[in-house]
Amino acid sequence: MTDYQRVAQAITFLEANFQEQPSLEEIAAQVHLSPFHFQRLFTSFAGVSPKKFLQYLSLNFAKNLLANPRLPLTEVAYYTGLSGSSRLHDLFIHIEAMTPGEYRQGGIDLTIKYHFADSLLGKVLLASTDKGLCSVEFVQGNEKEALIEIQQKWQNARWIEIATEFHHQALEHLWPGASSAGKLRLHLKGTPFQIKVWEALLRIPESEVRTYGDIANEIQQPAAMRAVGTAIGNNPTAFLIPCHRVIRKNGDLGGYHWGLNRKKLLLGLETIEKEVVDISE
């Protein structure tokens, strides 16, 4: 059996038995490896540990159960295979940074202000709470579809179409000279791992690039390059968290959620700005 087949078999086992919350030893036994060697093998292929993968499976199952408002949290925990509602609470706090109750409410009592605006790189949809920007996306299709897509993340929030100072500040960061536009406040919704990746992206200087491996090393998880790529793809604030500055190891630009042409233009704008600054100095 190859290493790939062992990992695939382990994933199949986890998907079928996650409600039993199997231990690392039990999972490793399924592919005839010691827990130590299995942990290293699984993490190198999947980008996350077996325990973390099990948590994601449990979380997704619990989310589906929480869609039923009549189902008590104790029963959600029971059907998910957790020992009690406190473990369900810990699971959501650790991965979603919110309680099960807050997830079920989906942003109730939260007001989000949104605004469509034209930019150098096309139409942009900006959304913010009182705490800061929560979403900045280039509009790929029509405005209605773009709005529906971001509303799915905050289903019970109250949405108001109005421009805010946060929106104006975000747009300033797309123009040459954006480095002097001032700091932005972000109100992000992500897992602890995603937040770590996004923070690493913010530390990449303008006009410079990093590889997925560089980011994985910076967050001290060198085997998690695939998970890093997923976190980068889930960046909720387009150019503000500069996922366009990440390329493949061979120098190719790789993918970009809002199109490779925009990625090239963003990198080009930053290079031009740096050259202008160098000349003026």
Side-chain angles (χ1 to χ4, degrees), residues 247-264:
I247 62 174
R248 291 175 178 165
K249 185 177 181 180
N250 63 5
D252 290 344
L253 290 181
Y256 188 59
H257 183 74
W258 293 281
L260 280 180
N261 285 337
R262 281 200 179 96
K263 185 170 186 175
K264 293 175 185 176

Side-chain angles (χ1 to χ4, degrees), residues 5-46:
Q5 289 172 325
R6 286 188 175 93
V7 173
Q9 183 173 321
I11 289 175
T12 299
F13 172 77
L14 283 168
E15 289 175 336
N17 298 277
F18 71 91
Q19 289 167 285
E20 302 298 324
Q21 299 294 303
S23 66
L24 176 63
E25 290 75 15
E26 290 172 327
I27 306 168
Q30 296 295 315
V31 293
H32 310 293
L33 290 176
S34 70
F36 174 78
H37 286 95
F38 172 70
Q39 172 97 356
R40 293 184 60 184
L41 176 66
F42 189 95
T43 303
S44 66
F45 270 84

Side-chain angles (χ1 to χ4, degrees), residues 14 51 68 77 109 119 143 151 159 165 219 226 230 255:
L14 283 168
K51 178 181 178 181
N68 180 357
D109 297 328
S119 75
E143 293 184 359
Q151 285 178 330
W159 293 78
E165 184 60 27
I219 64 172
R226 295 177 185 175
T230 300

Side-chain angles (χ1 to χ4, degrees), residues 235-254:
N235 169 24
T237 55
F239 50 88
L240 299 180
I241 294 177
C243 52
H244 58 277
R245 296 177 192 161
V246 182
I247 62 174
R248 291 175 178 165
K249 185 177 181 180
N250 63 5
D252 290 344
L253 290 181

Side-chain angles (χ1 to χ4, degrees), residues 120 171-180 269-270 272-273 276:
L120 283 172
L171 290 172
E172 288 178 9
H173 280 255
L174 255 185
W175 293 87
S179 57
S180 61
L269 283 171
E270 292 180 353
I272 291 171
E273 179 184 342
V276 170

Side-chain angles (χ1 to χ4, degrees), residues 148-201:
I148 291 174
E149 184 175 342
I150 68 167
Q151 285 178 330
Q152 295 302 312
K153 302 173 185 177
W154 312 84
Q155 295 181 10
N156 295 321
R158 180 184 178 215
W159 293 78
I160 301 175
E161 185 171 9
I162 186 173
T164 72
E165 184 60 27
F166 289 134
H167 302 164
H168 295 313
Q169 290 175 351
L171 290 172
E172 288 178 9
H173 280 255
L174 255 185
W175 293 87
S179 57
S180 61
K183 292 185 178 180
L184 285 167
R185 289 171 57 191
L186 303 179
H187 182 187
L188 303 182
K189 180 180 177 183
T191 68
F193 180 84
Q194 288 174 327
I195 297 295
K196 285 173 65 176
V197 171
W198 298 339
E199 287 175 342
L201 298 182

Side-chain angles (χ1 to χ4, degrees), residues 97-119:
M98 66 177 72
T99 68
E102 289 171 338
Y103 177 85
R104 173 174 269 170
Q105 290 175 337
I108 197 167
D109 297 328
L110 184 68
T111 296
I112 298 179
K113 297 174 182 178
Y114 70 95
H115 173 59
F116 290 94
D118 292 320
S119 75

